[in-house]
Amino acid sequence: MAVRASSRPAHPLFRDEHEQLREAIAAWAGDRLVPHIEEWERRAEFPAEVFTELGELGWLGLQYPEAYGGQGGDFAANLVLCEELSRCGAESVSTAVAVHTAMAGPPILRFGTEEQRQRHLPELLAGRRIAAIAISEPGGGSDVAGIRTSARRGGGGWVLNGGKTFITNGARAGLILVIARTGQRDDGRPLFSLFLVEGDTPGLTRGPKLEKLGRHASDTCELFFDSVQLPEDALLGEEGRGFHQIMWELEAERIMSAATSVALGRHALDLAVEYVRGRRQFGAPLADKQAIRHELATRAARLAAARDLVHGTAWRFQRDRAGADEISMAKLFAAEALGEVADYALQLHGGYGYMREYPIGRVWIEARAKRITAGTDEIQREIIARHLLGPIHVVEGARP
């Protein structure tokens, strides 16, 4: 199936240069990624050269200043990159690139010292080094406040101990952004800090690649820190401010997840449309059946609504005007819209949808992951509810 760039949204988030970039990325992805997606998924890895190619094209540095090897663009430019990688069905590549450019890199730019930026960003933006971000822990999941990995001062720097799981790019990351406990407040609540850990640091070990239901070509593993000695300048930002810094990072991550959900939903819709046009049942193409046409129309409308919600939220985020509840609404709605269109698209394929040779099955699996990664549906609903109703107050002796 030919790869088409997403149709131009009527939204001020995107300018002409964004749409020119969108066309270029779609053309590159159709030539460089699409012919190999199934092979890479079977092999459970895509070549590291994809990162260096993206770096040479300047696309890993779209939202970074030129002083560090970037293109001097904005958040919307990086959004276009990840949208188009998902739009062509290369969700493993889109996920890995989003972690690298939109999750691990921005905290270095925002919170790092000039020396840290100059040391790390040029390598990352050129694709010569791959980045990962380590938040989730075994038994922790979305409970960021429950993180147990710790760092204490010692040996002229920091000593890091603990473990992380579900780490995208973890198997080959040369730089890992790690959040760890570094103390506690007077009221006993923990304090967290962020650290930059080089991939070859002694005491850092990596578990085998985790076997996932989907995104096989995107490496995911556990990381273990056994008395890892870090220099003083491994601390990123202000000591004890790591929780607030990672919450800022998660906002961008959730917008990116929402945007790629919509893009992957358009891919699922394209697959469904192509299939029902060509598949004949009861003497006519499936596309001639009114019930099918109307169901597809409903899902297209829902995706369009999700797209406008996401792009509107991204526009406000880029101007520091988006609230956490708005971001959670966009993430939640987009993931659910994707799930609906992917599920119906597979249903339309009938038995063929369950066969590996048809890409819709892989899209269906990826759609399910979107409701978990970057914060589950339940986390998003709780954030929205707390903005609506305020914090939860537990009254002793009260009955439900």
Side-chain angles (χ1 to χ4, degrees), residues 141-156:
S142 295
D143 183 13
V144 177
I147 285 171
R148 296 182 179 276
T149 295
S150 64
R152 58 174 176 80
R153 292 191 177 275

Side-chain angles (χ1 to χ4, degrees), residues 51-299:
F51 274 100
T52 55
E53 286 183 37
L54 288 168
E56 290 168 0
L57 289 164
W59 292 344
L60 293 181
L62 289 169
Q63 71 179 80
Y64 294 84
E66 295 178 8
Y68 310 115
Q71 301 301 306
D74 54 14
F75 178 74
N78 200 36
L79 202 70
V80 167
L81 170 64
C82 294
E83 281 181 336
E84 293 310 315
L85 296 181
S86 287
R87 176 68 191 266
C88 76
E91 186 64 18
S92 287
V93 177
S94 178
T95 299
V97 169
V99 167
H100 182 86
T101 65
M103 301 172 201
I108 300 174
L109 179 63
R110 185 174 178 109
F111 305 117
T113 63
E114 184 60 21
E115 193 279 332
Q116 287 172 325
R117 295 172 189 153
Q118 292 287 356
R119 187 194 329 162
H120 297 297
L121 290 179
E123 290 292 299
L124 297 182
L125 303 189
R128 291 188 293 267
R129 175 180 281 188
I130 298 171
I133 184 166
I135 303 174
S136 296
E137 297 187 355
S142 295
D143 183 13
V144 177
I147 285 171
R148 296 182 179 276
T149 295
S150 64
R152 58 174 176 80
R153 292 191 177 275
W158 297 87
V159 180
L160 181 66
N161 282 283
K164 300 290 184 177
T165 193
F166 306 142
I167 309 305
T168 300
N169 296 343
R172 53 184 173 184
L175 184 69
I176 305 162
L177 180 59
V178 181
I179 183 168
R181 285 179 178 241
T182 52
Q184 65 179 31
R185 303 175 189 272
D186 292 340
D187 61 6
R189 289 185 297 167
L191 290 170
F192 301 92
S193 302
L194 296 182
F195 295 91
L196 295 169
V197 181
E198 304 276 353
D200 59 356
T201 305
L204 164 63
T205 58
R206 309 171 200 241
K209 292 182 182 179
L210 298 173
E211 295 186 10
K212 308 184 296 290
L213 291 178
R215 299 183 192 175
H216 300 299
S218 173
D219 63 280
T220 308
C221 73
E222 291 183 300
L223 302 176
F224 304 97
F225 309 98
D226 184 8
S227 297
V228 174
Q229 183 68 54
L230 301 175
E232 179 65 33
D233 64 0
L235 177 68
L236 181 66
E238 183 180 345
E239 180 183 347
R241 294 286 297 172
F243 185 81
H244 301 280
Q245 292 164 352
I246 215 67
M247 288 299 104
W248 172 83
E249 179 278 326
L250 280 170
E251 290 185 343
E253 182 177 345
R254 285 166 180 164
I255 293 173
M256 192 64 70
S257 178
T260 53
S261 288
V262 175
L264 191 60
R266 286 297 313 180
H267 179 57
L269 194 63
D270 288 344
L271 291 173
V273 167
E274 182 179 53
Y275 185 80
V276 299
R277 280 175 171 168
R279 174 66 168 166
R280 295 182 66 86
Q281 286 278 55
F282 307 107
L286 287 178
D288 285 358
K289 307 295 187 283
Q290 187 183 67
I292 289 174
R293 297 166 69 88
H294 288 188
E295 288 291 340
L296 285 174
T298 297
R299 283 156 179 79

